[in-house]
Amino acid sequence: MSLFNKEIETMPLDKLRSLQNKNLKDKVEQLYAKVPFYKQLFDSNGIAPKDIQTVHDLYKIPFTKKNALRDNYPFGLFTVPKNEVARLHCSSGTTGKPIVVGYTWHDLEIFSEVVARSLAAAGCKPSMLLQNAYGYGLFTGGLGLHYGAEKLGMTVLPISGGGTEKQLMLMRDFESDAICCTPSYALTLAEEIRKQGIDPSSIKLKYAILGAEPWTEGIRTDVEKGLRLSASNIYGLSEIMGPGVSSEDFEEKGTGSYIWEDHFYPEIVDKDTGEPLPYGSQGVLTFTTLTKEAMPLLRFWTNDITSLSYEKSNKRTHIKMAPIAGRADDMLIIRGVNLFHTQVEAILEFIPELSLNYQLIVSRTGTMDEVEVCAEVDRNLHEAIQKEQDVPLQNDRFQKALQLLKKKIKDDIGLSMKITLMMPESIPRSDGGKLNRIIDKRKG
């Protein structure tokens, strides 16, 4: 049934709540006693540890945001002395001083456990070979997947990110069963296989575990078709643990990712007011770590936009989170309309003349914000039109696709955008890291 820890993953919800409440009370007392930031936070807001008895009391506590981690750089939020810290990681994508996170040996055991659960949910089994194409180093992805895979009993190929030629060579020579990487890099691998004319039967991959950036069902379809496998989402963030905070089950794809609630308690809150929202409502995801020793966090504001629901849970009792719609800090506000790049991607899925490789370019003329969608045309159709000695980008099919995209963006999103058709491979591909879909020229 793709369960790694059946007892925990299927624990009755009332017992799971009791476990969460006990661990939460312990963490609140520990943080109040050992971390000056949290003591001041509680005292200045008139909160005492005894006021937090269950997870339903969490709303009383203000959010912990990323600036708190920066302000307490490097070790100000740690609850243990440095000699009890087994590993340090730093989060990616920041400027200036990085966000530092620490792990005790117990934390690393939990890290491996939740990643093992996630890999099992994705279909992986002991003795399979995992090609780990996440970056190793300060980023949590590479090492997180590595030790979780070993805990599951897999063989790990620690190839790290990039090096597409070597990735494909070893993938074939070693007959890798599974690969983990970003979804955009999985598309790069699939495209390279097609471009080089590699016999698809020489690729033995069965599963892809993809994360670190938002992706859509259209991306999943292209990856599964291009690599001939089952692709599942894995979610995490360095501040909470790393990859493995939640994961899809490969037999329940499209219904959301299970959050391992015995370790991470989630909430959805309004992005403007911070008020808790009911199940099914879309808002900002926050996490409270219930078992982490080195650097527990209360109500950490992830900036990720999603929703939570128990209704779609099937094999497990743990809650599910919907796919990430975008990030609150990456959300574009264009002429009063909230815009996530994944909304454009979702429209592109239904226009076969265009590929899913695109970028949004945001600019400002006077006081007016404008968005240009640069969309690549489909390679196969482009090549067919070239053979007809036609001018590809001016071909009637592509021009109709341009008008359809413009209309659907206006109808579905409520904005008028300039559409620019691009030649195949003219927009940057992922080299193994996260792919930037938005170029905001308003930021100077």
Side-chain angles (χ1 to χ4, degrees), residues 230-248:
S230 172
S232 300
N233 184 64
I234 189 170
Y235 171 86
L237 58 165
S238 299
E239 296 86 350
I240 298 302
M241 181 63 78
V245 172
S246 75
S247 179
E248 279 186 307

Side-chain angles (χ1 to χ4, degrees), residues 1-62:
M1 276 183 63
S2 68
L3 300 176
F4 177 75
N5 188 335
K6 184 176 181 180
E7 180 182 1
I8 292 293
E9 294 177 50
T10 62
M11 178 179 285
L13 195 55
D14 59 339
K15 291 186 177 180
L16 183 58
R17 284 286 179 270
S18 294
L19 178 63
Q20 290 172 326
N21 292 336
K22 177 184 180 302
N23 288 333
L24 175 63
K25 288 169 63 177
D26 291 343
K27 283 300 157 194
V28 166
E29 291 173 2
Q30 180 189 35
L31 287 165
Y32 186 81
K34 295 187 175 182
V35 179
F37 167 80
Y38 278 112
K39 185 178 189 308
Q40 182 180 10
L41 184 72
F42 272 52
D43 291 348
S44 61
N45 286 275
I47 307 167
K50 64 179 177 59
D51 297 328
I52 312 301
Q53 294 295 310
T54 74
V55 292
H56 301 298
D57 295 322
L58 279 169
Y59 74 92
K60 301 173 184 177
I61 305 173

Side-chain angles (χ1 to χ4, degrees), residues 5 72 88 97 107 143 158 193 214 222 239 261 274 284 290 300 315 324 333 361 373 381 393 420 436:
N5 188 335
N72 288 277
L88 294 169
K97 299 289 187 180
D107 292 335
L143 286 171
I193 288 170
D222 284 0
E239 296 86 350
E261 282 194 87
V284 174
L290 301 173
F300 180 75
K315 295 180 182 177
I324 299 298
I333 301 177
I361 299 176
V373 180
L381 181 57
L393 296 188
T420 300
N436 184 18

